[in-house]
PDB file of all heavy atoms in Angstrom:
ATOM      1  N   ALA R   1       0.827  -1.195   0.027  1.00 88.00           N
ATOM      2  CA  ALA R   1      -0.005  -0.014  -0.004  1.00 88.00           C
ATOM      3  C   ALA R   1       0.881   1.260  -0.002  1.00 88.00           C
ATOM      4  O   ALA R   1       0.545   2.220  -0.716  1.00 88.00           O
ATOM      5  CB  ALA R   1      -0.945  -0.023   1.177  1.00 88.00           C
ATOM      6  N   GLN R   2       1.960   1.270   0.795  1.00 91.00           N
ATOM      7  CA  GLN R   2       2.849   2.407   0.815  1.00 91.00           C
ATOM      8  C   GLN R   2       3.535   2.619  -0.525  1.00 91.00           C
ATOM      9  O   GLN R   2       3.624   3.755  -1.029  1.00 91.00           O
ATOM     10  CB  GLN R   2       3.916   2.232   1.896  1.00 91.00           C
ATOM     11  CG  GLN R   2       3.350   2.348   3.302  1.00 91.00           C
ATOM     12  CD  GLN R   2       4.373   1.964   4.346  1.00 91.00           C
ATOM     13  OE1 GLN R   2       5.272   1.149   4.123  1.00 91.00           O
ATOM     14  NE2 GLN R   2       4.183   2.479   5.591  1.00 91.00           N
ATOM     15  N   LYS R   3       3.931   1.525  -1.193  1.00 90.00           N
ATOM     16  CA  LYS R   3       4.558   1.604  -2.525  1.00 90.00           C
ATOM     17  C   LYS R   3       3.530   2.192  -3.505  1.00 90.00           C
ATOM     18  O   LYS R   3       3.885   3.052  -4.304  1.00 90.00           O
ATOM     19  CB  LYS R   3       5.034   0.236  -2.957  1.00 90.00           C
ATOM     20  CG  LYS R   3       5.719   0.257  -4.330  1.00 90.00           C
ATOM     21  CD  LYS R   3       6.191  -1.086  -4.716  1.00 90.00           C
ATOM     22  CE  LYS R   3       6.788  -1.065  -6.138  1.00 90.00           C
ATOM     23  NZ  LYS R   3       7.116  -2.358  -6.646  1.00 90.00           N
ATOM     24  N   MET R   4       2.300   1.694  -3.419  1.00 90.00           N
ATOM     25  CA  MET R   4       1.287   2.187  -4.346  1.00 90.00           C
ATOM     26  C   MET R   4       1.037   3.649  -4.076  1.00 90.00           C
ATOM     27  O   MET R   4       0.871   4.431  -5.053  1.00 90.00           O
ATOM     28  CB  MET R   4      -0.025   1.394  -4.169  1.00 90.00           C
ATOM     29  CG  MET R   4      -1.099   1.805  -5.145  1.00 90.00           C
ATOM     30  SD  MET R   4      -2.666   0.943  -4.912  1.00 90.00           S
ATOM     31  CE  MET R   4      -2.168  -0.743  -5.055  1.00 90.00           C
ATOM     32  N   GLN R   5       1.020   4.067  -2.842  1.00 91.00           N
ATOM     33  CA  GLN R   5       0.781   5.490  -2.513  1.00 91.00           C
ATOM     34  C   GLN R   5       1.883   6.338  -3.095  1.00 91.00           C
ATOM     35  O   GLN R   5       1.600   7.406  -3.649  1.00 91.00           O
ATOM     36  CB  GLN R   5       0.724   5.639  -0.988  1.00 91.00           C
ATOM     37  CG  GLN R   5       0.272   6.951  -0.530  1.00 91.00           C
ATOM     38  CD  GLN R   5       0.062   7.000   0.967  1.00 91.00           C
ATOM     39  OE1 GLN R   5       0.665   6.203   1.724  1.00 91.00           O
ATOM     40  NE2 GLN R   5      -0.772   7.916   1.450  1.00 91.00           N
ATOM     41  N   GLU R   6       3.115   5.891  -3.028  1.00 92.00           N
ATOM     42  CA  GLU R   6       4.243   6.637  -3.637  1.00 92.00           C
ATOM     43  C   GLU R   6       4.102   6.736  -5.145  1.00 92.00           C
ATOM     44  O   GLU R   6       4.339   7.754  -5.739  1.00 92.00           O
ATOM     45  CB  GLU R   6       5.581   5.946  -3.287  1.00 92.00           C
ATOM     46  CG  GLU R   6       5.970   6.096  -1.817  1.00 92.00           C
ATOM     47  CD  GLU R   6       7.168   5.200  -1.435  1.00 92.00           C
ATOM     48  OE1 GLU R   6       7.761   4.596  -2.315  1.00 92.00           O
ATOM     49  OE2 GLU R   6       7.428   5.120  -0.199  1.00 92.00           O
ATOM     50  N   GLN R   7       3.691   5.590  -5.760  1.00 92.00           N
ATOM     51  CA  GLN R   7       3.503   5.580  -7.217  1.00 92.00           C
ATOM     52  C   GLN R   7       2.416   6.551  -7.644  1.00 92.00           C
ATOM     53  O   GLN R   7       2.537   7.257  -8.631  1.00 92.00           O
ATOM     54  CB  GLN R   7       3.176   4.136  -7.722  1.00 92.00           C
ATOM     55  CG  GLN R   7       4.336   3.212  -7.652  1.00 92.00           C
ATOM     56  CD  GLN R   7       3.870   1.778  -7.969  1.00 92.00           C
ATOM     57  OE1 GLN R   7       2.795   1.342  -7.608  1.00 92.00           O
ATOM     58  NE2 GLN R   7       4.764   1.042  -8.680  1.00 92.00           N
ATOM     59  N   ILE R   8       1.360   6.585  -6.856  1.00 92.00           N
ATOM     60  CA  ILE R   8       0.233   7.472  -7.141  1.00 92.00           C
ATOM     61  C   ILE R   8       0.655   8.897  -7.047  1.00 92.00           C
ATOM     62  O   ILE R   8       0.363   9.727  -7.936  1.00 92.00           O
ATOM     63  CB  ILE R   8      -0.958   7.173  -6.243  1.00 92.00           C
ATOM     64  CG1 ILE R   8      -1.583   5.820  -6.622  1.00 92.00           C
ATOM     65  CG2 ILE R   8      -1.983   8.290  -6.301  1.00 92.00           C
ATOM     66  CD1 ILE R   8      -2.657   5.340  -5.625  1.00 92.00           C
ATOM     67  N   ALA R   9       1.435   9.248  -6.038  1.00 92.00           N
ATOM     68  CA  ALA R   9       1.897  10.632  -5.871  1.00 92.00           C
ATOM     69  C   ALA R   9       2.829  11.060  -7.048  1.00 92.00           C
ATOM     70  O   ALA R   9       2.679  12.141  -7.541  1.00 92.00           O
ATOM     71  CB  ALA R   9       2.614  10.780  -4.534  1.00 92.00           C
ATOM     72  N   GLU R  10       3.710  10.153  -7.429  1.00 93.00           N
ATOM     73  CA  GLU R  10       4.608  10.460  -8.543  1.00 93.00           C
ATOM     74  C   GLU R  10       3.805  10.623  -9.844  1.00 93.00           C
ATOM     75  O   GLU R  10       4.059  11.559 -10.623  1.00 93.00           O
ATOM     76  CB  GLU R  10       5.634   9.326  -8.733  1.00 93.00           C
ATOM     77  CG  GLU R  10       6.667   9.267  -7.622  1.00 93.00           C
ATOM     78  CD  GLU R  10       7.566   8.050  -7.773  1.00 93.00           C
ATOM     79  OE1 GLU R  10       7.528   7.348  -8.793  1.00 93.00           O
ATOM     80  OE2 GLU R  10       8.316   7.759  -6.797  1.00 93.00           O
ATOM     81  N   LEU R  11       2.883   9.759 -10.062  1.00 93.00           N
ATOM     82  CA  LEU R  11       2.040   9.818 -11.263  1.00 93.00           C
ATOM     83  C   LEU R  11       1.223  11.089 -11.285  1.00 93.00           C
ATOM     84  O   LEU R  11       1.121  11.749 -12.323  1.00 93.00           O
ATOM     85  CB  LEU R  11       1.166   8.579 -11.401  1.00 93.00           C
ATOM     86  CG  LEU R  11       0.219   8.550 -12.629  1.00 93.00           C
ATOM     87  CD1 LEU R  11       1.013   8.611 -13.926  1.00 93.00           C
ATOM     88  CD2 LEU R  11      -0.654   7.318 -12.593  1.00 93.00           C
ATOM     89  N   GLN R  12       0.705  11.473 -10.119  1.00 93.00           N
ATOM     90  CA  GLN R  12      -0.137  12.666 -10.067  1.00 93.00           C
ATOM     91  C   GLN R  12       0.663  13.875 -10.432  1.00 93.00           C
ATOM     92  O   GLN R  12       0.186  14.793 -11.166  1.00 93.00           O
ATOM     93  CB  GLN R  12      -0.807  12.814  -8.689  1.00 93.00           C
ATOM     94  CG  GLN R  12      -1.847  13.948  -8.648  1.00 93.00           C
ATOM     95  CD  GLN R  12      -2.996  13.652  -9.573  1.00 93.00           C
ATOM     96  OE1 GLN R  12      -3.665  12.653  -9.498  1.00 93.00           O
ATOM     97  NE2 GLN R  12      -3.247  14.550 -10.531  1.00 93.00           N
ATOM     98  N   GLU R  13       1.883  13.965  -9.962  1.00 94.00           N
ATOM     99  CA  GLU R  13       2.763  15.056 -10.326  1.00 94.00           C
ATOM    100  C   GLU R  13       3.005  15.121 -11.844  1.00 94.00           C
ATOM    101  O   GLU R  13       2.952  16.157 -12.438  1.00 94.00           O
ATOM    102  CB  GLU R  13       4.135  14.946  -9.648  1.00 94.00           C
ATOM    103  CG  GLU R  13       4.124  15.403  -8.216  1.00 94.00           C
ATOM    104  CD  GLU R  13       5.507  15.383  -7.596  1.00 94.00           C
ATOM    105  OE1 GLU R  13       6.469  15.824  -8.249  1.00 94.00           O
ATOM    106  OE2 GLU R  13       5.661  14.908  -6.444  1.00 94.00           O
ATOM    107  N   GLU R  14       3.237  13.941 -12.414  1.00 94.00           N
ATOM    108  CA  GLU R  14       3.481  13.840 -13.869  1.00 94.00           C
ATOM    109  C   GLU R  14       2.208  14.261 -14.640  1.00 94.00           C
ATOM    110  O   GLU R  14       2.305  15.024 -15.604  1.00 94.00           O
ATOM    111  CB  GLU R  14       3.868  12.420 -14.249  1.00 94.00           C
ATOM    112  CG  GLU R  14       4.056  12.237 -15.719  1.00 94.00           C
ATOM    113  CD  GLU R  14       4.195  10.788 -16.117  1.00 94.00           C
ATOM    114  OE1 GLU R  14       4.845  10.015 -15.372  1.00 94.00           O
ATOM    115  OE2 GLU R  14       3.661  10.422 -17.179  1.00 94.00           O
ATOM    116  N   LEU R  15       1.070  13.788 -14.201  1.00 94.00           N
ATOM    117  CA  LEU R  15      -0.181  14.109 -14.873  1.00 94.00           C
ATOM    118  C   LEU R  15      -0.511  15.586 -14.759  1.00 94.00           C
ATOM    119  O   LEU R  15      -0.980  16.209 -15.693  1.00 94.00           O
ATOM    120  CB  LEU R  15      -1.351  13.283 -14.299  1.00 94.00           C
ATOM    121  CG  LEU R  15      -1.258  11.759 -14.602  1.00 94.00           C
ATOM    122  CD1 LEU R  15      -2.370  11.049 -13.839  1.00 94.00           C
ATOM    123  CD2 LEU R  15      -1.388  11.514 -16.100  1.00 94.00           C
ATOM    124  N   ASP R  16      -0.240  16.194 -13.585  1.00 94.00           N
ATOM    125  CA  ASP R  16      -0.477  17.625 -13.435  1.00 94.00           C
ATOM    126  C   ASP R  16       0.353  18.470 -14.341  1.00 94.00           C
ATOM    127  O   ASP R  16      -0.057  19.560 -14.801  1.00 94.00           O
ATOM    128  CB  ASP R  16      -0.211  18.052 -11.965  1.00 94.00           C
ATOM    129  CG  ASP R  16      -1.286  17.562 -11.016  1.00 94.00           C
ATOM    130  OD1 ASP R  16      -2.356  17.105 -11.447  1.00 94.00           O
ATOM    131  OD2 ASP R  16      -1.051  17.669  -9.777  1.00 94.00           O
ATOM    132  N   ALA R  17       1.547  17.980 -14.645  1.00 94.00           N
ATOM    133  CA  ALA R  17       2.493  18.740 -15.507  1.00 94.00           C
ATOM    134  C   ALA R  17       2.197  18.617 -16.983  1.00 94.00           C
ATOM    135  O   ALA R  17       2.662  19.419 -17.785  1.00 94.00           O
ATOM    136  CB  ALA R  17       3.919  18.321 -15.208  1.00 94.00           C
ATOM    137  N   ARG R  18       1.448  17.578 -17.382  1.00 95.00           N
ATOM    138  CA  ARG R  18       1.146  17.370 -18.823  1.00 95.00           C
ATOM    139  C   ARG R  18       0.337  18.565 -19.385  1.00 95.00           C
ATOM    140  O   ARG R  18      -0.441  19.178 -18.695  1.00 95.00           O
ATOM    141  CB  ARG R  18       0.376  16.102 -19.012  1.00 95.00           C
ATOM    142  CG  ARG R  18       1.200  14.885 -18.848  1.00 95.00           C
ATOM    143  CD  ARG R  18       0.409  13.637 -19.274  1.00 95.00           C
ATOM    144  NE  ARG R  18       1.159  12.450 -18.988  1.00 95.00           N
ATOM    145  CZ  ARG R  18       0.695  11.210 -19.197  1.00 95.00           C
ATOM    146  NH1 ARG R  18      -0.478  11.020 -19.744  1.00 95.00           N
ATOM    147  NH2 ARG R  18       1.450  10.165 -18.905  1.00 95.00           N
ATOM    148  N   GLU R  19       0.541  18.804 -20.671  1.00 96.00           N
ATOM    149  CA  GLU R  19      -0.281  19.793 -21.390  1.00 96.00           C
ATOM    150  C   GLU R  19      -0.978  19.089 -22.551  1.00 96.00           C
ATOM    151  O   GLU R  19      -0.412  18.229 -23.182  1.00 96.00           O
ATOM    152  CB  GLU R  19       0.588  20.936 -21.823  1.00 96.00           C
ATOM    153  CG  GLU R  19       1.022  21.806 -20.668  1.00 96.00           C
ATOM    154  CD  GLU R  19       1.513  23.190 -21.074  1.00 96.00           C
ATOM    155  OE1 GLU R  19       1.443  23.555 -22.261  1.00 96.00           O
ATOM    156  OE2 GLU R  19       1.967  23.910 -20.155  1.00 96.00           O
ATOM    157  N   TYR R  20      -2.174  19.561 -22.810  1.00 96.00           N
ATOM    158  CA  TYR R  20      -3.012  18.996 -23.892  1.00 96.00           C
ATOM    159  C   TYR R  20      -3.421  20.167 -24.768  1.00 96.00           C
ATOM    160  O   TYR R  20      -3.641  21.281 -24.336  1.00 96.00           O
ATOM    161  CB  TYR R  20      -4.262  18.363 -23.311  1.00 96.00           C
ATOM    162  CG  TYR R  20      -3.950  17.256 -22.293  1.00 96.00           C
ATOM    163  CD1 TYR R  20      -3.786  17.599 -20.937  1.00 96.00           C
ATOM    164  CD2 TYR R  20      -3.882  15.940 -22.670  1.00 96.00           C
ATOM    165  CE1 TYR R  20      -3.500  16.608 -20.011  1.00 96.00           C
ATOM    166  CE2 TYR R  20      -3.602  14.974 -21.716  1.00 96.00           C
ATOM    167  CZ  TYR R  20      -3.400  15.289 -20.394  1.00 96.00           C
ATOM    168  OH  TYR R  20      -3.128  14.326 -19.449  1.00 96.00           O
ATOM    169  N   GLU R  21      -3.561  19.853 -26.070  1.00 96.00           N
ATOM    170  CA  GLU R  21      -4.045  20.834 -27.032  1.00 96.00           C
ATOM    171  C   GLU R  21      -5.308  20.269 -27.700  1.00 96.00           C
ATOM    172  O   GLU R  21      -5.279  19.178 -28.269  1.00 96.00           O
ATOM    173  CB  GLU R  21      -2.951  21.076 -28.054  1.00 96.00           C
ATOM    174  CG  GLU R  21      -3.285  22.204 -29.007  1.00 96.00           C
ATOM    175  CD  GLU R  21      -2.140  22.564 -29.937  1.00 96.00           C
ATOM    176  OE1 GLU R  21      -1.142  23.107 -29.430  1.00 96.00           O
ATOM    177  OE2 GLU R  21      -2.227  22.277 -31.110  1.00 96.00           O
ATOM    178  N   ILE R  22      -6.390  20.966 -27.598  1.00 96.00           N
ATOM    179  CA  ILE R  22      -7.701  20.518 -28.085  1.00 96.00           C
ATOM    180  C   ILE R  22      -8.181  21.529 -29.118  1.00 96.00           C
ATOM    181  O   ILE R  22      -8.132  22.738 -28.925  1.00 96.00           O
ATOM    182  CB  ILE R  22      -8.722  20.469 -26.928  1.00 96.00           C
ATOM    183  CG1 ILE R  22      -8.212  19.626 -25.761  1.00 96.00           C
ATOM    184  CG2 ILE R  22     -10.059  19.967 -27.430  1.00 96.00           C
ATOM    185  CD1 ILE R  22      -7.876  18.196 -26.078  1.00 96.00           C
ATOM    186  N   ASN R  23      -8.641  21.006 -30.289  1.00 96.00           N
ATOM    187  CA  ASN R  23      -9.187  21.876 -31.333  1.00 96.00           C
ATOM    188  C   ASN R  23     -10.690  21.681 -31.357  1.00 96.00           C
ATOM    189  O   ASN R  23     -11.205  20.584 -31.148  1.00 96.00           O
ATOM    190  CB  ASN R  23      -8.571  21.483 -32.699  1.00 96.00           C
ATOM    191  CG  ASN R  23      -7.120  21.766 -32.746  1.00 96.00           C
ATOM    192  OD1 ASN R  23      -6.676  22.879 -32.538  1.00 96.00           O
ATOM    193  ND2 ASN R  23      -6.323  20.748 -33.019  1.00 96.00           N
ATOM    194  N   ALA R  24     -11.397  22.763 -31.668  1.00 94.00           N
ATOM    195  CA  ALA R  24     -12.842  22.730 -31.810  1.00 94.00           C
ATOM    196  C   ALA R  24     -13.237  23.589 -32.969  1.00 94.00           C
ATOM    197  O   ALA R  24     -12.523  24.445 -33.442  1.00 94.00           O
ATOM    198  CB  ALA R  24     -13.517  23.196 -30.518  1.00 94.00           C
ATOM    199  N   GLY R  25     -14.507  23.346 -33.458  1.00 93.00           N
ATOM    200  CA  GLY R  25     -14.994  24.124 -34.552  1.00 93.00           C
ATOM    201  C   GLY R  25     -14.210  23.976 -35.851  1.00 93.00           C
ATOM    202  O   GLY R  25     -14.013  24.898 -36.581  1.00 93.00           O
ATOM    203  N   GLY R  26     -13.723  22.716 -36.043  1.00 93.00           N
ATOM    204  CA  GLY R  26     -12.929  22.485 -37.262  1.00 93.00           C
ATOM    205  C   GLY R  26     -11.543  23.166 -37.219  1.00 93.00           C
ATOM    206  O   GLY R  26     -10.940  23.421 -38.253  1.00 93.00           O
ATOM    207  N   GLY R  27     -11.043  23.392 -35.989  1.00 94.00           N
ATOM    208  CA  GLY R  27      -9.732  23.944 -35.851  1.00 94.00           C
ATOM    209  C   GLY R  27      -9.664  25.477 -35.711  1.00 94.00           C
ATOM    210  O   GLY R  27      -8.623  26.022 -35.632  1.00 94.00           O
ATOM    211  N   VAL R  28     -10.852  26.108 -35.654  1.00 95.00           N
ATOM    212  CA  VAL R  28     -10.833  27.581 -35.541  1.00 95.00           C
ATOM    213  C   VAL R  28     -10.580  28.040 -34.092  1.00 95.00           C
ATOM    214  O   VAL R  28     -10.210  29.181 -33.885  1.00 95.00           O
ATOM    215  CB  VAL R  28     -12.130  28.205 -36.098  1.00 95.00           C
ATOM    216  CG1 VAL R  28     -12.274  28.028 -37.566  1.00 95.00           C
ATOM    217  CG2 VAL R  28     -13.352  27.704 -35.318  1.00 95.00           C
ATOM    218  N   VAL R  29     -10.724  27.112 -33.174  1.00 96.00           N
ATOM    219  CA  VAL R  29     -10.393  27.428 -31.747  1.00 96.00           C
ATOM    220  C   VAL R  29      -9.497  26.299 -31.223  1.00 96.00           C
ATOM    221  O   VAL R  29      -9.775  25.139 -31.398  1.00 96.00           O
ATOM    222  CB  VAL R  29     -11.661  27.508 -30.895  1.00 96.00           C
ATOM    223  CG1 VAL R  29     -11.327  27.622 -29.414  1.00 96.00           C
ATOM    224  CG2 VAL R  29     -12.502  28.685 -31.298  1.00 96.00           C
ATOM    225  N   THR R  30      -8.412  26.699 -30.618  1.00 96.00           N
ATOM    226  CA  THR R  30      -7.472  25.757 -30.012  1.00 96.00           C
ATOM    227  C   THR R  30      -7.310  26.150 -28.554  1.00 96.00           C
ATOM    228  O   THR R  30      -7.018  27.323 -28.221  1.00 96.00           O
ATOM    229  CB  THR R  30      -6.094  25.774 -30.692  1.00 96.00           C
ATOM    230  OG1 THR R  30      -6.310  25.479 -32.075  1.00 96.00           O
ATOM    231  CG2 THR R  30      -5.126  24.787 -30.070  1.00 96.00           C
ATOM    232  N   VAL R  31      -7.492  25.171 -27.651  1.00 96.00           N
ATOM    233  CA  VAL R  31      -7.347  25.388 -26.197  1.00 96.00           C
ATOM    234  C   VAL R  31      -6.193  24.554 -25.732  1.00 96.00           C
ATOM    235  O   VAL R  31      -6.100  23.371 -26.057  1.00 96.00           O
ATOM    236  CB  VAL R  31      -8.638  24.982 -25.488  1.00 96.00           C
ATOM    237  CG1 VAL R  31      -8.450  25.048 -23.965  1.00 96.00           C
ATOM    238  CG2 VAL R  31      -9.816  25.864 -25.909  1.00 96.00           C
ATOM    239  N   LYS R  32      -5.315  25.175 -24.940  1.00 97.00           N
ATOM    240  CA  LYS R  32      -4.246  24.425 -24.297  1.00 97.00           C
ATOM    241  C   LYS R  32      -4.610  24.398 -22.827  1.00 97.00           C
ATOM    242  O   LYS R  32      -4.894  25.424 -22.187  1.00 97.00           O
ATOM    243  CB  LYS R  32      -2.888  25.084 -24.490  1.00 97.00           C
ATOM    244  CG  LYS R  32      -2.415  24.949 -25.905  1.00 97.00           C
ATOM    245  CD  LYS R  32      -1.038  25.489 -26.137  1.00 97.00           C
ATOM    246  CE  LYS R  32      -0.624  25.354 -27.577  1.00 97.00           C
ATOM    247  NZ  LYS R  32       0.680  25.980 -27.852  1.00 97.00           N
ATOM    248  N   ILE R  33      -4.496  23.219 -22.226  1.00 96.00           N
ATOM    249  CA  ILE R  33      -4.899  22.973 -20.818  1.00 96.00           C
ATOM    250  C   ILE R  33      -3.851  22.072 -20.195  1.00 96.00           C
ATOM    251  O   ILE R  33      -3.219  21.246 -20.901  1.00 96.00           O
ATOM    252  CB  ILE R  33      -6.314  22.323 -20.745  1.00 96.00           C
ATOM    253  CG1 ILE R  33      -6.835  22.269 -19.306  1.00 96.00           C
ATOM    254  CG2 ILE R  33      -6.365  20.956 -21.437  1.00 96.00           C
ATOM    255  CD1 ILE R  33      -8.312  21.824 -19.220  1.00 96.00           C
ATOM    256  N   ASN R  34      -3.639  22.207 -18.917  1.00 96.00           N
ATOM    257  CA  ASN R  34      -2.683  21.321 -18.224  1.00 96.00           C
ATOM    258  C   ASN R  34      -3.470  20.296 -17.467  1.00 96.00           C
ATOM    259  O   ASN R  34      -4.692  20.283 -17.403  1.00 96.00           O
ATOM    260  CB  ASN R  34      -1.684  22.070 -17.339  1.00 96.00           C
ATOM    261  CG  ASN R  34      -2.304  22.753 -16.149  1.00 96.00           C
ATOM    262  OD1 ASN R  34      -3.448  22.469 -15.741  1.00 96.00           O
ATOM    263  ND2 ASN R  34      -1.597  23.685 -15.549  1.00 96.00           N
ATOM    264  N   GLY R  35      -2.705  19.343 -16.824  1.00 95.00           N
ATOM    265  CA  GLY R  35      -3.336  18.290 -16.088  1.00 95.00           C
ATOM    266  C   GLY R  35      -4.109  18.685 -14.842  1.00 95.00           C
ATOM    267  O   GLY R  35      -4.863  17.898 -14.271  1.00 95.00           O
ATOM    268  N   LYS R  36      -3.893  19.925 -14.438  1.00 94.00           N
ATOM    269  CA  LYS R  36      -4.659  20.444 -13.286  1.00 94.00           C
ATOM    270  C   LYS R  36      -5.953  21.097 -13.736  1.00 94.00           C
ATOM    271  O   LYS R  36      -6.670  21.726 -12.965  1.00 94.00           O
ATOM    272  CB  LYS R  36      -3.802  21.503 -12.511  1.00 94.00           C
ATOM    273  CG  LYS R  36      -2.586  20.924 -11.864  1.00 94.00           C
ATOM    274  CD  LYS R  36      -1.827  22.093 -11.165  1.00 94.00           C
ATOM    275  CE  LYS R  36      -0.502  21.687 -10.690  1.00 94.00           C
ATOM    276  NZ  LYS R  36       0.229  22.760 -10.060  1.00 94.00           N
ATOM    277  N   LYS R  37      -6.271  20.984 -15.040  1.00 94.00           N
ATOM    278  CA  LYS R  37      -7.433  21.580 -15.635  1.00 94.00           C
ATOM    279  C   LYS R  37      -7.368  23.094 -15.643  1.00 94.00           C
ATOM    280  O   LYS R  37      -8.413  23.777 -15.538  1.00 94.00           O
ATOM    281  CB  LYS R  37      -8.724  21.086 -14.988  1.00 94.00           C
ATOM    282  CG  LYS R  37      -8.889  19.562 -15.065  1.00 94.00           C
ATOM    283  CD  LYS R  37     -10.162  19.138 -14.405  1.00 94.00           C
ATOM    284  CE  LYS R  37     -10.134  17.617 -14.202  1.00 94.00           C
ATOM    285  NZ  LYS R  37     -11.276  17.187 -13.364  1.00 94.00           N
ATOM    286  N   GLU R  38      -6.197  23.630 -15.738  1.00 95.00           N
ATOM    287  CA  GLU R  38      -6.012  25.101 -15.877  1.00 95.00           C
ATOM    288  C   GLU R  38      -5.821  25.413 -17.328  1.00 95.00           C
ATOM    289  O   GLU R  38      -4.926  24.861 -17.998  1.00 95.00           O
ATOM    290  CB  GLU R  38      -4.776  25.533 -15.076  1.00 95.00           C
ATOM    291  CG  GLU R  38      -4.852  25.278 -13.603  1.00 95.00           C
ATOM    292  CD  GLU R  38      -3.575  25.452 -12.856  1.00 95.00           C
ATOM    293  OE1 GLU R  38      -2.468  25.363 -13.474  1.00 95.00           O
ATOM    294  OE2 GLU R  38      -3.616  25.736 -11.649  1.00 95.00           O
ATOM    295  N   ILE R  39      -6.631  26.322 -17.846  1.00 95.00           N
ATOM    296  CA  ILE R  39      -6.514  26.764 -19.243  1.00 95.00           C
ATOM    297  C   ILE R  39      -5.217  27.598 -19.333  1.00 95.00           C
ATOM    298  O   ILE R  39      -5.053  28.570 -18.664  1.00 95.00           O
ATOM    299  CB  ILE R  39      -7.754  27.581 -19.690  1.00 95.00           C
ATOM    300  CG1 ILE R  39      -9.027  26.787 -19.522  1.00 95.00           C
ATOM    301  CG2 ILE R  39      -7.570  28.016 -21.142  1.00 95.00           C
ATOM    302  CD1 ILE R  39      -9.139  25.497 -20.341  1.00 95.00           C
ATOM    303  N   LYS R  40      -4.349  27.174 -20.238  1.00 96.00           N
ATOM    304  CA  LYS R  40      -3.072  27.869 -20.437  1.00 96.00           C
ATOM    305  C   LYS R  40      -3.147  28.934 -21.539  1.00 96.00           C
ATOM    306  O   LYS R  40      -2.531  29.960 -21.443  1.00 96.00           O
ATOM    307  CB  LYS R  40      -1.926  26.871 -20.724  1.00 96.00           C
ATOM    308  CG  LYS R  40      -1.759  25.821 -19.615  1.00 96.00           C
ATOM    309  CD  LYS R  40      -1.654  26.385 -18.222  1.00 96.00           C
ATOM    310  CE  LYS R  40      -0.280  26.732 -17.836  1.00 96.00           C
ATOM    311  NZ  LYS R  40      -0.179  27.333 -16.489  1.00 96.00           N
ATOM    312  N   SER R  41      -3.890  28.612 -22.607  1.00 96.00           N
ATOM    313  CA  SER R  41      -4.050  29.570 -23.685  1.00 96.00           C
ATOM    314  C   SER R  41      -5.240  29.186 -24.533  1.00 96.00           C
ATOM    315  O   SER R  41      -5.716  28.063 -24.552  1.00 96.00           O
ATOM    316  CB  SER R  41      -2.775  29.626 -24.569  1.00 96.00           C
ATOM    317  OG  SER R  41      -2.616  28.453 -25.291  1.00 96.00           O
ATOM    318  N   ILE R  42      -5.738  30.195 -25.247  1.00 96.00           N
ATOM    319  CA  ILE R  42      -6.837  29.992 -26.205  1.00 96.00           C
ATOM    320  C   ILE R  42      -6.404  30.727 -27.488  1.00 96.00           C
ATOM    321  O   ILE R  42      -6.044  31.900 -27.451  1.00 96.00           O
ATOM    322  CB  ILE R  42      -8.138  30.629 -25.698  1.00 96.00           C
ATOM    323  CG1 ILE R  42      -8.549  30.017 -24.360  1.00 96.00           C
ATOM    324  CG2 ILE R  42      -9.260  30.423 -26.725  1.00 96.00           C
ATOM    325  CD1 ILE R  42      -9.646  30.795 -23.640  1.00 96.00           C
ATOM    326  N   ASP R  43      -6.454  29.981 -28.596  1.00 96.00           N
ATOM    327  CA  ASP R  43      -6.146  30.608 -29.907  1.00 96.00           C
ATOM    328  C   ASP R  43      -7.420  30.578 -30.733  1.00 96.00           C
ATOM    329  O   ASP R  43      -8.021  29.503 -30.919  1.00 96.00           O
ATOM    330  CB  ASP R  43      -5.062  29.819 -30.605  1.00 96.00           C
ATOM    331  CG  ASP R  43      -4.681  30.427 -31.957  1.00 96.00           C
ATOM    332  OD1 ASP R  43      -4.505  31.635 -32.017  1.00 96.00           O
ATOM    333  OD2 ASP R  43      -4.624  29.633 -32.943  1.00 96.00           O
ATOM    334  N   ILE R  44      -7.839  31.747 -31.166  1.00 95.00           N
ATOM    335  CA  ILE R  44      -9.078  31.927 -31.951  1.00 95.00           C
ATOM    336  C   ILE R  44      -8.728  32.479 -33.321  1.00 95.00           C
ATOM    337  O   ILE R  44      -8.140  33.573 -33.411  1.00 95.00           O
ATOM    338  CB  ILE R  44     -10.107  32.869 -31.257  1.00 95.00           C
ATOM    339  CG1 ILE R  44     -10.395  32.335 -29.812  1.00 95.00           C
ATOM    340  CG2 ILE R  44     -11.358  33.013 -32.083  1.00 95.00           C
ATOM    341  CD1 ILE R  44     -11.176  33.318 -28.959  1.00 95.00           C
ATOM    342  N   LYS R  45      -9.065  31.761 -34.367  1.00 95.00           N
ATOM    343  CA  LYS R  45      -8.784  32.201 -35.728  1.00 95.00           C
ATOM    344  C   LYS R  45      -9.707  33.383 -36.054  1.00 95.00           C
ATOM    345  O   LYS R  45     -10.917  33.359 -35.704  1.00 95.00           O
ATOM    346  CB  LYS R  45      -9.048  31.040 -36.740  1.00 95.00           C
ATOM    347  CG  LYS R  45      -8.248  29.793 -36.477  1.00 95.00           C
ATOM    348  CD  LYS R  45      -6.885  29.923 -37.076  1.00 95.00           C
ATOM    349  CE  LYS R  45      -6.240  28.550 -37.007  1.00 95.00           C
ATOM    350  NZ  LYS R  45      -4.872  28.530 -36.670  1.00 95.00           N
TER     351      LYS R  45
END
């Protein structure tokens, strides 16, 4: 259980640091978000 708890904490840090890029409206809007669900940027054509 302790090992699993350590693995979960490490993974959560990694997941929080990830960034995702999502396109909508056929690519006219691009949203960048991190693993903490914080919007990092919005690009609007």
